[in-house]
Structure formats: structure tokens, C-alpha cells
Amino acid sequence: MNKPRVKAADADVKTISEPETLVGRPGGISREQVVELTSKLIAIPSVNGEEGCLGEYLRELFQILGLQVVTQEVAPGRFNVLGIWPPIEEIAVATAGLLLHAHYDTAAPYDMEEPFSGAVRGGYIWGRGTVDQKGGLAAAIMAVATVKSLGFKPSKPVVVAAVVDEEAEHRGSSRLVQSGLKADMAIVTEPSSLRIVPGCKGTVPLKIEVEGRAAHGCRPWLGINAVARALPILKRLFELTYPEVDLGPELGRIRGSLNVGLIQGGVAYNMVPASCTIWLDRRTVPGETPAGVMAEIQKVLTLAREEVPDLKADVSIARPDWNWEPIRKRGLNPALTAVDSAVVSLVRETHQQVLGKDPVLYFTDGYNELDFLVNDLGIPSIQYGPGDSRLAHTSEERVEVEELITCTEVYARLILKACGGEV
């Protein structure tokens, strides 16, 4: 197994002056090593459900770096890998100064050419997961390796949590929550183009099943067309509107949304469809709940029954790729960390020091696992990572090398500030 050339030994470095860069300092981690590790992570496929090989690599890498390694199995061959430094006796007892959270499963390659090459060209690293989100994971690992190699001795631990199953049922972060991990603050290393994201929308996936009665297409009057029965439901779904929520001057105004993503009905062109299924993606904002969303859709069905009294239709929380009951019960909720919190202030300050300008703040329309850290573990958390999220899951997925290096530098400085200690 080829490993990046990382050093477990601490160098005899007496001071770390603020203006100097940490990445690339003699005796520490080089820029090339950051790129090398990112390419290596890309070269080990870890499509959702098939993360085991990369998990083993991460476990071995953390050991080489001299980190305490904790694994958390979520299913056979699927496990979180935590790298902790300095070591702690019990996760649920000690409080980390900083948690760096990343998922190491990826979407499928789809039509991407050479998705696992990790090739470096044109100033970018290419491949599935460069943006979503092995670039952020590599930056987190190399940030810890950087400050460790430069002789930093933190008074509070830093934890790199590499979790599985973010792309589907979120079993990895659910298992992390079960461990009772504590931290003063956390960074979700998902791509944000180095912008600060203190909040995300939730998502309530829904399935509406409409019942009809089958008949041959030559005698449609003998059946009940489920697609036709779905029309008054669809009409009312498309008429739904959502009020704006004001998150303040820095984050602005946001609103929830509903997308009708899939409509499935019938088995043949010459058969009256006996069923029609409508799949919905309802994005929620702070203050909205799955129960409230369900009540909203139930009202739509009630209004549709006023038009079609014998309409048979039911709604449930479901997603085509969800088979794990705990995630159906829990759902995926919106999250928000106050813009005047310590974690936002610290990242803002560090970004300004490294890049020489103030960072942009925004609330993302997408979902990420800030939800588990903020809502379940109670850790003030933000999203901040390398890469353009619009490239995630596409055939053009790539991360800019300079942005990756800059992010590693920011993470390294955050460890120094959040974990305290001395050099």
C-alpha cells in the first residue's frame, strides 16, 4: 500500500509566528504531500456502501501519523475512522478543542472519465470525491500532521472524524452521535469555496402513493387510472408557497421549497395504471419540522379528496435509497449556528489572516451533516472546505490545488487556536 510521505516524529520547533505559513515549513508537511494524499484518497474507490478499503487505509495512515485511532462500525465492512491527538481515555468524557468532520464515501462515478485517477493537471486534482469530499478530508488530516510535526502540544484534543454513508442513510454520523463525542466547536469540511456556512436546510423526502384499478387499455372505463387520480394532488403541490425567514443582515432571507422529482405509474402503455407514486423533496428551514411537513401534505390530500371523493392516497416519509428505519424516524433537519458564535468568529479571523480578506458567509440551500453535530451533539459547527459544490457528483469534479493548500493552512491555524497549548 503506497502511503504519502508523512512524518510521525515531532520536530524541534520553538515558535510558530502568525504571519508565516505552517504548510511547507521545513521539518513539517509540504504542499506536495497535501496534493499526494488527496490523489491517493481519490485512487481508492469508496462509493457509498463500498467504503471498506479506504477505511482500512485511513486507519493505517492515522497510526503512522501517531494519532489515537478509534473505529466505529455501522455495518459489516463499513466503519467510521477517528484520528485523535493527543489520545483520550473515553470519547464521551473528554472534550475536544476542535472536531474536523468529513465523510469518505462518494457518489457513483456515473459518466466521469477516469474517476479514480487523482490526476493533477491545469492546477486541479481530478476525480470522484475531490470536491465531495476527499479534498476536505485530506486538508483536515494534513492540518493535524502539520501542527504535530512542528512540535505543537495541544491542551485539548483535535479529532478528525472520517464517517461513512453521508450519501445515503447517514449511518456514520448517526454512530458518531451515539458515541457522545464532545467538542468546543466543529468544522464540517464539505466544499464551500472557503466561505463560511453556519447553517443548512433540512430535507424531508416524501412518497405519495395513489391507488387506482388496472384494466386493459382497450377498455379503460373498466379501470381507475391512478395517474389521472394523481392530477389534483399534483396541481395543489405545485401551488404551495413558503414564507421567507429572515436570518439577519449577514445571512439574509431564505425560504423552504418543494420539488416533485419523480412520478412513476403503470406497467405498460396498453394497461390502465393501478398505482401512481409521487416522490417529493421538501427542503426545510429552521423552525420547520417533519411533522409539520407531513401535516402540510395531508392537507393537500384532503383538498384533493374534495374534488375526487373516492380518492385513495397516502403519504409517508421515504426515499428510494432509504431502507434503514432509524433515518426514516429521525429525518434530516435544518441546522443553524449563530453568526456571533466562537466558531464563526475564529474561522472568520483565521481566514482573514491567511487570505488577507474577510470571508463570505451564507446559509446553504443544500443539506449536510451540520445537522447531526448541531442538533444532536450540541456542538457549535460551521461548514468550511475546499472546492466548488456545484461540481460535486458531476463528470467535471475537481478541486483547485491552491484552494486545497490554503484550506489546509486555515485548518492548521484553527487547531492552534481552538486547542490551545504550546509549541
Side-chain angles (χ1 to χ4, degrees):
M1 180 184 294
N2 294 323
K3 305 176 183 68
R5 297 181 301 276
V6 293
K7 300 179 181 179
D10 293 340
D12 184 19
V13 178
K14 299 302 181 186
T15 61
I16 294 179
S17 60
E18 200 62 65
E20 296 182 64
T21 60
L22 304 179
V23 178
R25 184 174 297 196
I29 298 299
S30 69
R31 293 165 55 93
E32 291 76 18
Q33 286 173 298
V34 177
V35 173
E36 181 183 355
L37 176 60
T38 307
S39 293
K40 179 62 180 178
L41 298 183
I42 300 305
I44 304 175
S46 56
V47 173
N48 181 265
E50 303 170 0
E51 305 99 336
C53 288
L54 183 53
E56 292 294 347
Y57 176 82
L58 290 171
R59 175 159 44 192
E60 202 169 329
L61 175 61
F62 287 171
Q63 290 172 342
I64 291 170
L65 291 171
L67 310 183
Q68 178 185 7
V69 180
V70 175
T71 57
Q72 300 172 333
E73 186 176 66
V74 304
R78 308 181 71 190
F79 49 90
N80 299 337
V81 186
L82 277 58
I84 305 169
W85 176 66
I88 58 178
E89 290 187 9
E90 292 185 49
I91 286 180
V93 174
T95 299
L98 179 64
L99 166 65
L100 295 167
H101 177 287
H103 69 88
Y104 68 93
D105 62 315
T106 72
Y110 303 121
D111 59 347
M112 188 175 198
E113 295 183 6
E114 299 182 335
F116 307 120
S117 70
V120 182
R121 61 177 186 272
Y124 291 87
I125 307 171
W126 293 73
R128 178 59 79 235
T130 46
V131 169
D132 189 16
Q133 57 113 159
K134 294 178 179 180
L137 174 57
I141 295 169
M142 288 288 95
V144 175
T146 293
V147 296
K148 189 172 187 296
S149 67
L150 294 176
F152 178 60
K153 297 176 176 60
S155 57
K156 280 192 169 184
V158 57
V159 177
V160 177
V163 305
V164 296
D165 201 31
E166 188 274 347
E167 298 289 354
E169 296 174 319
H170 303 271
R171 297 184 188 217
S173 282
S174 295
R175 179 65 184 85
L176 191 67
V177 167
Q178 290 175 5
S179 73
L181 178 67
K182 296 180 175 67
D184 292 333
M185 60 185 67
I187 309 295
V188 172
T189 60
E190 291 269 18
S192 70
S193 299
L194 301 188
R195 295 175 291 174
I196 295 175
V197 184
C200 67
K201 288 184 179 179
T203 173
V204 182
L206 298 160
K207 178 173 71 171
I208 299 175
E209 296 178 283
V210 183
E211 185 180 332
R213 185 173 66 240
H216 197 281
C218 70
R219 299 181 184 88
W221 56 87
L222 296 179
I224 299 176
N225 192 308
V227 174
R229 288 294 174 99
L231 293 178
I233 298 173
L234 289 165
K235 176 178 180 295
R236 287 164 175 81
L237 289 173
F238 285 120
E239 290 173 349
L240 289 173
T241 59
Y242 301 97
E244 288 188 333
V245 175
D246 189 354
L247 297 181
E250 287 203 272
L251 298 180
R253 303 176 72 85
I254 61 171
R255 69 171 76 225
S257 63
L258 176 74
N259 178 58
V260 178
L262 282 173
I263 302 175
Q264 301 165 320
V267 295
Y269 85 98
N270 60 350
M271 291 288 294
V272 174
S275 65
C276 181
T277 303
I278 307 167
W279 294 92
L280 310 174
D281 179 9
R282 173 70 162 85
R283 297 289 166 145
T284 56
V285 297
E288 293 185 308
T289 65
V293 170
M294 285 289 286
E296 165 192 296
I297 303 303
Q298 288 287 6
K299 184 177 180 180
V300 166
L301 298 184
T302 297
L303 292 173
R305 289 189 187 101
E306 292 179 2
E307 182 176 336
V308 184
D310 61 342
L311 175 65
K312 295 180 180 180
D314 293 298
V315 61
S316 61
I317 294 177
R319 212 170 86 170
D321 60 345
W322 276 8
N323 299 299
W324 193 48
E325 190 59 29
I327 199 61
R328 288 196 186 108
K329 290 182 178 179
R330 181 193 183 278
L332 302 175
N333 303 307
L336 180 62
T337 295
V339 296
D340 61 354
S341 64
V343 62
V344 172
S345 298
L346 201 61
V347 177
R348 194 197 299 259
E349 171 192 293
T350 307
H351 178 102
Q352 201 282 331
Q353 289 170 347
V354 174
L355 283 87
K357 59 184 179 181
D358 291 331
V360 173
L361 271 70
Y362 77 101
F363 184 97
T364 180
D365 290 320
Y367 172 85
N368 68 63
E369 292 184 330
L370 279 175
D371 171 19
F372 289 85
L373 305 185
V374 172
N375 295 323
D376 293 354
L377 288 172
I379 301 173
S381 308
I382 58 115
Q383 173 191 349
Y384 181 93
D388 182 346
S389 61
R390 294 171 297 183
L391 297 175
H393 299 198
T394 73
S395 61
E396 297 296 313
E397 188 172 3
R398 63 194 184 278
V399 66
E400 185 182 26
V401 169
E402 285 304 316
E403 188 171 297
L404 178 70
I405 302 297
T406 300
C407 187
T408 306
E409 180 74 21
V410 171
Y411 289 168
R413 290 177 178 274
L414 284 172
I415 295 169
L416 296 181
K417 295 175 180 181
C419 296
E422 59 184 20
V423 180

